[in-house]
Amino acid sequence: MKKVALVFVLAVFVPSLVLAWLAVRSLRDQQFALERQQSLLCQGVADSLAEKINGLLSEHQHDFARQVEALLADGKPLDIAGAFDGRLRQNWPMAEVGFVVSLDGQVYSPDLFDRAEARRFRLENDMFLCSRESVAVYWNSPKGAINLSQLDQKEAAQPGQQTYDSSYKFSKEQKQARNVMPEQRLQAAVDNNSRISPAEAEFRQLVGDSVEGTVARFLQNKLNLMFWYRSSRDPQLVFGALLNLPRLTDDLRNVVKVDPQSPLNEICVALLDDSTKVVATTKPAFRANWKRPFAAAEIGEALPHWEVAVYLLNPGKFSQSAQAIKATLGLLIAVLVLAIGIGGGLIVTDLKRQLALARQKTDFVSNVSHELKTPLTSIRMFSELLADGRVIDKEKQRSYLGIITAETARLTRLINNVLDFSRLERGEKKYNFARCDLVRVVRETMESYRPHLEQNDFKLTCELPESPVFVNGDRDALAQIVVNLISNAEKYCNEQKEVCVELRRQERPLPHVEVRVLDRGCGVPKGCEERIFEQFYRAHDSLSSGVQGSGLGLTLARQIARSHGGDVVYEPREGGGSCFALRLPLRATEGRSDGESE
Ligand code: ADP
């Protein structure tokens, strides 16, 4: 049995649990993969917008270079330099201040006394532009080194042609290569979670040999973004512009859009400035903790610490649906495991029952063989003695004949029981239901049994009513029940050889008649009160008790009684012993003393 249970656990239960575990794991992996995919998509959106903004900035830079070249086309660079601020602002509204500075540290424009913005610009930037001090700047000079001698030759060959390289684009490598990061700045950048960090530099140093570039610096926490450009007409002069940031921001707003065809329609994209303030957003009504985007991309050195940030409109939605799937799967697995457990339990129980039945059947065969053998031996022995004529004493002859008759009766009873049981099993048992007097059936059965019992020193008492009690039943079948009960009382009597048979009318719960067979024997062991009615079940083992039996008597008695609408029940007798009661429903016409069955 243990082996079967072990095989079941190993072959069904453990693999099911492993499968369930694998299913949960694969679901979790799938969830991670989906989350990762979504995060990559959002990162892609942020990166592409950052790229677009960089593109727009480089377009403005081209524009500025073109403006400078156009102005220089009107006259000699040095003549233009003095009035550069005014003329640039006139032609190019993106400029807030235009400046010209020579590499040897002379500022030509704007005029210090021109206007308030110009004066402030000069006061704040003169020292830096004249390369007299190093300041913390974010800078970028992406265009390759300028070769002055080559430029001179080029200028000589093609006077007036622009040397501006329109294929220029900010590239990440260039940005990184040009980022000089002193250690303390690097630490600050790490603390800010920003890849962009300022570097201390003089203007001359960051211009180097390049043709153009951007310089960004923070003055009183306000971003100052400058474009600069060196024309081949006079490489000693650097033309520059301080950009009008509100105008630039207006321009950037047009770039911050999400493709309506994009699968990511549940996101909000925002352009955040260096103080994490929203400059532009795709969903103006959306509110979030702007410092905690789902994905983000920095713009670069031109707009340091500005970033394109992506937020999920419903951040819980993804995990909610994943949780729901998980819960459903968990429930399914739990139901599956429970079903397997219950199914397994039922199989094991049934198997156990079948094994017990098989064992009982084997016992039954040996018990029946033994029961057949005992009376046959007696019958053979006594009939041989009588046949030989060796027993002359008449009394002895009668006694031997009595034994032969009793043993034959026992044999008949046993065979009847076995035959009836097999008929019942096959559903072939037929009853001749008729109106019959139960008092008479019990009395006749008892009287036929009385000589045998008295011969074996039994005290047989009976309490039967004088008047008949009619039931609807099969006379022989009812007699068989009474015989089986009396025979059991005889078998399990122990030392006290007393058998009492009673017949009483009972009114509760419904009017019925009860035939009780009582003995003072060993009684039914505790816990076996119901099991003794199961087929082949024996509460007293033949070997230990020495009482032979087939385990069919009570099974048959109960089945016959139930077929009559009644039952056979056991209850311990007060003062020791057993009390078996046959209960049968009364006929409606009960009480009429017609005496005979129909
Ligand atoms: P058996 O042929 O073994 O007597 P039964 O079906 O008649 O088969 O009885 C089933 C079991 O019930 C018996 O083996 C015995 O253990 C118990 N039993 C039946 N009658 C009595 C009784 N009068 N006293 C004690 N035990 C009894």
Side-chain angles (χ1 to χ4, degrees):
M1 199 60 234
K2 270 185 191 156
K3 210 170 152 191
V4 176
L6 193 73
V7 168
F8 174 77
V9 166
L10 289 179
V12 180
F13 210 66
V14 172
S16 310
L17 284 181
V18 171
L19 280 177
W21 177 72
L22 284 175
V24 170
R25 251 189 68 139
S26 93
L27 185 80
R28 211 181 47 198
D29 291 350
Q30 218 171 346
Q31 190 189 340
F32 282 149
L34 277 173
E35 275 175 2
R36 174 117 188 89
Q37 202 178 1
Q38 196 186 31
S39 136
L40 284 175
L41 276 169
C42 289
Q43 190 61 51
V45 170
D47 286 345
S48 86
L49 268 179
E51 202 69 32
K52 264 191 199 167
I53 289 171
N54 273 320
L56 185 81
L57 286 171
S58 66
E59 257 175 44
H60 282 314
Q61 186 148 30
H62 301 168
D63 214 16
F64 170 67
R66 275 192 292 271
Q67 294 298 335
V68 174
E69 286 295 344
L71 285 175
L72 292 182
D74 293 348
K76 282 191 175 169
L78 268 177
D79 298 342
I80 307 291
F84 181 72
D85 174 38
R87 292 185 64 181
L88 179 72
R89 281 189 296 113
Q90 210 176 4
N91 295 350
W92 199 55
M94 198 58 80
E96 191 171 298
V97 177
F99 66 88
V100 183
V101 61
S102 68
L103 288 178
D104 55 12
Q106 200 178 341
V107 180
Y108 293 94
S109 183
D111 190 344
L112 193 57
F113 306 104
D114 200 9
R115 57 194 176 104
E117 286 91 352
R119 189 160 51 250
R120 199 176 59 240
F121 177 81
R122 290 285 303 267
L123 290 174
E124 286 172 348
N125 294 294
D126 259 13
M127 294 289 276
F128 165 60
L129 293 175
C130 298
S131 302
R132 269 183 256 139
E133 71 170 8
S134 299
V135 295
V137 285
Y138 303 82
W139 58 281
N140 195 308
S141 306
K143 184 137 187 259
I146 203 164
N147 185 332
L148 294 179
S149 56
Q150 259 182 18
L151 275 174
D152 290 344
Q153 284 166 19
K154 239 181 179 176
E155 178 64 9
Q158 301 163 303
Q161 190 183 337
Q162 286 189 16
T163 56
Y164 178 74
D165 178 3
S166 63
S167 69
Y168 157 69
K169 274 244 155 68
F170 290 93
S171 80
K172 276 188 186 152
E173 292 73 28
Q174 283 169 327
K175 285 175 201 168
Q176 278 160 10
R178 293 195 176 264
N179 257 342
V180 182
M181 288 173 90
E183 241 166 70
Q184 64 275 29
R185 297 274 171 208
L186 180 67
Q187 192 52 47
V190 170
D191 292 344
N192 274 343
N193 286 332
S194 173
R195 280 182 291 129
I196 317 284
S197 62
E200 295 268 346
E202 290 174 359
F203 187 61
R204 174 78 185 86
Q205 182 189 343
L206 61 90
V207 167
D209 292 338
S210 305
V211 172
E212 62 179 358
T214 63
V215 182
R217 60 184 297 213
F218 285 96
L219 285 165
Q220 281 126 38
N221 277 339
K222 191 172 167 275
L223 176 68
N224 279 234
L225 174 62
M226 293 181 253
F227 286 163
W228 59 265
Y229 174 70
R230 284 161 79 195
S231 171
S232 53
R233 294 171 204 274
D234 187 350
Q236 283 304 310
L237 288 180
V238 180
F239 294 84
L242 173 69
L243 260 71
N244 185 324
L245 213 54
R247 280 225 172 110
L248 180 68
T249 311
D250 281 346
D251 253 24
L252 294 179
R253 276 198 190 104
N254 298 327
V255 180
V256 181
K257 277 185 212 132
V258 180
D259 179 6
Q261 304 298 320
S262 160
L264 285 164
N265 51 3
E266 299 202 331
I267 57 167
C268 166
V269 182
L271 175 64
L272 306 178
D273 70 7
D274 48 82
S275 52
T276 334
K277 259 204 281 175
V278 179
V279 174
T281 171
T282 52
K283 304 250 187 264
F286 178 71
R287 293 283 168 275
N289 179 357
W290 301 111
K291 287 188 176 154
R292 308 199 60 182
F294 184 66
E298 283 190 294
I299 310 294
E301 288 83 0
L303 289 173
H305 309 309
W306 285 45
E307 60 182 16
V308 176
V310 178
Y311 303 86
L312 298 181
L313 295 186
N314 184 1
K317 191 183 163 191
F318 202 70
S319 60
Q320 272 163 15
S321 63
Q323 286 296 332
I325 296 173
K326 227 182 203 169
T328 317
L329 193 80
L331 199 75
L332 278 176
I333 289 169
V335 170
L336 183 84
V337 170
L338 201 74
I340 291 172
I342 293 174
L346 287 176
I347 290 171
V348 169
T349 316
D350 192 54
L351 213 66
K352 233 167 150 177
R353 216 169 54 83
Q354 296 294 340
L355 282 175
L357 204 65
R359 211 171 28 241
Q360 281 171 354
K361 272 186 181 161
T362 323
D363 289 352
F364 165 77
V365 172
S366 71
N367 285 342
V368 168
S369 321
H370 200 85
E371 276 228 51
L372 286 173
K373 209 174 142 196
T374 319
L376 278 175
T377 316
S378 310
I379 293 168
R380 191 177 159 196
M381 191 179 78
F382 288 112
S383 53
E384 273 175 8
L385 278 175
L386 290 172
D388 285 355
R390 276 186 277 161
V391 183
I392 305 151
D393 185 356
K394 290 277 174 206
E395 197 56 39
K396 268 194 175 170
Q397 281 181 352
R398 239 192 325 272
S399 157
Y400 288 173
L401 283 170
I403 292 171
I404 291 171
T405 316
E407 290 299 304
T408 318
R410 191 171 141 195
L411 212 56
T412 314
R413 220 169 34 243
L414 175 70
I415 290 166
N416 277 348
N417 274 349
V418 174
L419 286 177
D420 277 353
F421 175 73
S422 69
R423 272 189 215 116
L424 276 169
E425 280 285 276
R426 293 199 303 269
E428 288 172 359
K429 173 82 179 159
K430 298 259 178 335
Y431 296 103
N432 295 319
F433 285 103
R435 181 167 173 268
C436 67
D437 176 11
L438 191 63
V439 179
R440 191 170 164 181
V441 172
V442 174
R443 186 176 291 123
E444 281 178 8
T445 314
M446 260 189 61
E447 289 314 318
S448 67
Y449 220 84
R450 184 185 291 277
H452 168 74
L453 287 177
E454 286 181 348
Q455 217 169 32
N456 290 302
D457 305 326
F458 270 86
K459 192 179 148 207
L460 182 64
T461 51
C462 60
E463 289 175 27
L464 301 176
E466 287 303 316
S467 53
V469 176
F470 289 103
V471 292
N472 187 27
D474 183 317
R475 175 193 288 269
D476 293 338
L478 294 178
Q480 195 180 358
I481 298 177
V482 179
V483 168
N484 282 355
L485 296 183
I486 296 176
S487 155
N488 278 353
E490 181 203 349
K491 282 200 290 187
Y492 304 102
C493 66
N494 267 1
E495 301 303 312
Q496 292 228 45
K497 299 191 167 184
E498 269 182 48
V499 179
C500 177
V501 181
E502 299 171 359
L503 191 152
R504 281 186 200 151
R505 267 186 70 127
Q506 301 283 357
E507 296 306 322
R508 285 162 193 275
L510 287 171
H512 66 276
V513 61
E514 196 171 86
V515 180
R516 289 150 67 94
V517 179
L518 306 119
D519 63 60
R520 286 283 175 207
C522 53
V524 175
K526 267 210 165 354
C528 301
E529 290 88 345
E530 268 308 301
R531 298 204 66 191
I532 51 173
F533 293 97
E534 287 174 15
Q535 56 192 25
F536 312 124
Y537 187 80
R538 304 203 67 223
H540 299 90
D541 183 31
S542 309
L543 286 175
S544 52
S545 68
V547 182
Q548 297 299 321
S550 59
L552 285 181
L554 287 179
T555 315
L556 269 176
R558 177 168 264 185
Q559 286 196 9
I560 295 170
R562 286 186 173 171
S563 305
H564 283 72
D567 205 353
V568 175
V569 293
Y570 163 80
E571 58 192 48
R573 189 181 181 187
E574 242 175 70
S578 311
C579 168
F580 283 89
L582 159 67
R583 290 172 186 161
L584 290 172
L586 280 169
R587 258 181 79 102
T589 51
E590 194 270 330
R592 277 202 351 242
S593 49
D594 3 7
E596 258 311 317
S597 62
E598 288 151 357

